[in-house]
């Protein structure tokens, strides 16, 4: 049986916080990862760029 | 007896005194193992199964970089590899987490004591099916729960298993695992695990300190970890 909560994109954001000099990302859903400062910075930039591209894609369609 | 804790307090599978005596008679050797000792490596042929008498052990799989993922943790009273009896080799390795005492049972002996004893065989089969139920619960934990929930689920589950084995009073138990071990169980980094444990303490749910877990509010801890012990097939409490 398909559960839309696990097969659809998440519409709630994750929460990033600081722990022991690392960036900890919790959520959405069961996401739980720890990143170094540089990895967090690059991931954040990549996410923003992808979100901008997705927004353009949505407005074009 | 070395087998006293095996299937203790599990629903409908308590061994008869005859079955327990047979299992004891099948033990060929009792070994004491140091912590972090590999007992069986993935892929090697084996002709024995191992009953954990004291301590904690794990099943684990190494990735191509040699990084370890714990895929099961065993407590005293459990076979760590009864499935090796029909399968002859394992798709995972087995090692101790803490110091451990194990009882070795050759597969030839298992075959002898099970011959013509279908009910006894069913109980050993139940034991391996219990392993499968635990694996399903571990998949659920990793797939659906957040960091704090994963740790809460693991501690609730371990408490219930140790209680069945008479090694927890339901509130306090010895857990000879490091935070790094718990991190591997829960698919988290040690940084994340450390924080999750702190958050459980700050929420007055449980405290993990100096290899001792003290559960302050068991129902709330279970709720935080979405833990329901039905998959452990525990006997109803008297």
């Amino acid at each position: 049986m398909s559960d839309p909560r696990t097969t659809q994109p998440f519409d709630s954001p994750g929460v990033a916080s600081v722990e022991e000099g690392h960036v900890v990302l919790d959520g959405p859903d069961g996401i739980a990862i720890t990143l170094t400062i540089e990895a967090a910075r690059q991931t954040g930039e990549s996410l923003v760029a992808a979100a901008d591209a997705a927004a353009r894609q949505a407005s074009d369609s | 007896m070395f087998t006293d804790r095996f299937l203790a307090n599990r629903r409908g599978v308590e061994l008869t005194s005859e079955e327990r005596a047979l299992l004891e008679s099948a033990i060929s050797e009792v070994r004491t193992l140091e912590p972090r000792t590999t007992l069986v490596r993935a892929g090697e042929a084996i002709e024995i199964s191992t009953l954990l008498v004291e301590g904690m052990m794990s099943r684990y799989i190494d990735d191509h970089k040699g990084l370890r993922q714990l895929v099961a943790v065993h407590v005293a009273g459990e076979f760590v590899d009864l499935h090796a009896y029909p399968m002859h080799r394992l798709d995972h390795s087995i090692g101790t987490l803490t110091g451990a005492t194990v009882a070795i049972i050759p597969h030839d002996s298992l075959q002898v004591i099970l011959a013509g004893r279908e009910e006894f065989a069913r109980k050993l089969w139940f034991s391996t099916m219990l392993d499968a139920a635990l694996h399903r619960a571990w998949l659920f934990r990793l797939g659906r729960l957040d960091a704090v929930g994963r740790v809460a689920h693991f501690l609730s589950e371990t408490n219930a298993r140790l209680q069945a084995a008479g090694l927890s009073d339901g509130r306090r138990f010895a857990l000879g695992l490091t935070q790094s071990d718990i991190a591997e169980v829960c698919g988290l980094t040690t940084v994340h695990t450390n924080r999750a444990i702190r958050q459980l303490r700050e929420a007055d749910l449980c405290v993990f300190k100096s290899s001792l877990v003290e559960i302050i509010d068991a129902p709330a801890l279970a709720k935080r970890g979405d833990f329901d012990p039905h998959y452990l097939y525990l006997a109803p409490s008297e």
Side-chain angles (χ1 to χ4, degrees):
Chain A
M1 190 175 72
S2 174
D3 181 342
R5 289 176 301 173
T6 58
T7 56
Q8 296 297 313
F10 299 113
D11 59 5
S12 57
V15 176
S17 54
V18 179
E19 189 77 26
E20 299 175 29
H22 294 87
V23 175
V24 172
L25 178 63
D26 285 297
D29 203 51
I31 291 172
I33 58 171
T34 311
L35 298 162
T36 62
I37 296 166
E38 191 52 34
R41 207 181 294 281
Q42 290 181 26
T43 301
E45 290 168 358
S46 176
L47 275 172
V48 170
D52 288 345
R56 284 194 299 276
Q57 195 177 61
S59 64
D60 290 346
S61 60
Chain B
M1 294 175 90
F2 298 111
T3 62
D4 281 345
R5 295 189 175 114
F6 178 57
L7 293 177
N9 296 306
R10 304 290 179 166
R11 200 180 310 153
V13 287
E14 195 88 26
L15 296 189
T16 65
S17 53
E18 183 202 1
E19 289 165 344
R20 198 169 297 283
L22 282 166
L23 198 56
E24 287 281 335
S25 72
I27 296 171
S28 64
E29 183 186 357
V30 174
R31 292 184 199 160
T32 302
L33 302 171
E34 295 293 316
R36 315 287 156 178
T37 303
T38 296
L39 189 65
V40 178
R41 290 191 189 282
E44 67 185 32
I46 52 173
E47 297 175 342
I48 59 168
S49 284
T50 301
L51 177 67
L52 179 56
V53 179
E54 299 281 352
M56 295 188 87
M57 296 181 71
S58 73
R59 300 177 185 177
Y60 65 92
I61 297 173
D62 290 328
D63 70 9
H64 67 283
K65 295 176 189 166
L67 297 175
R68 185 181 67 161
Q69 173 72 43
L70 295 186
V71 294
V73 168
H74 285 286
V75 304
E78 297 176 352
F79 272 98
V80 297
D81 58 354
L82 189 55
H83 51 300
Y85 174 46
M87 300 175 88
H88 306 300
R89 64 185 70 234
L90 302 177
D91 46 78
H92 56 84
S93 300
I94 291 175
T96 59
L97 292 166
T98 66
T101 303
V102 296
I104 306 299
I105 302 184
H107 292 160
D108 287 351
S109 302
L110 272 178
Q111 189 167 0
V112 169
I113 64 172
L114 292 176
R117 296 185 176 91
E118 291 81 5
E119 182 59 14
F120 190 18
R122 185 187 71 83
K123 292 174 181 176
L124 295 195
W125 188 11
F126 176 100
S127 160
T128 62
M129 292 297 98
L130 198 54
D131 292 343
L134 281 158
H135 285 309
R136 288 189 289 276
W138 281 43
L139 281 172
F140 166 78
R141 179 163 69 218
L142 291 177
R144 300 297 306 149
L145 302 182
D146 64 13
V148 178
R150 291 181 205 177
V151 176
H153 186 283
F154 175 65
L155 293 178
S156 295
E157 177 192 273
T158 303
N159 184 40
R161 292 166 76 184
L162 288 174
Q163 197 170 6
L167 295 169
S168 168
D169 62 4
R171 297 290 304 267
R172 289 162 63 93
F173 59 91
L175 184 66
L177 304 185
T178 63
Q179 288 200 11
S180 181
D181 293 326
I182 296 174
E184 288 184 32
V185 165
C186 295
L188 300 169
T189 62
T190 50
V191 172
H192 226 126
T193 302
N194 183 283
R195 188 172 73 160
I197 289 170
R198 192 183 72 227
Q199 288 174 325
L200 289 173
R201 184 180 66 240
E202 289 170 351
D204 286 332
L205 298 184
C206 76
V207 176
F208 175 44
K209 192 176 181 183
S210 304
S211 299
L212 191 70
V213 175
E214 183 175 359
I215 296 180
I216 300 164
D217 187 338
L221 183 70
K223 186 177 179 186
R224 183 64 185 84
D226 219 333
F227 172 75
D228 180 337
H230 68 282
Y231 67 91
L232 298 174
Y233 296 85
L234 300 169
S237 45
E238 294 171 0

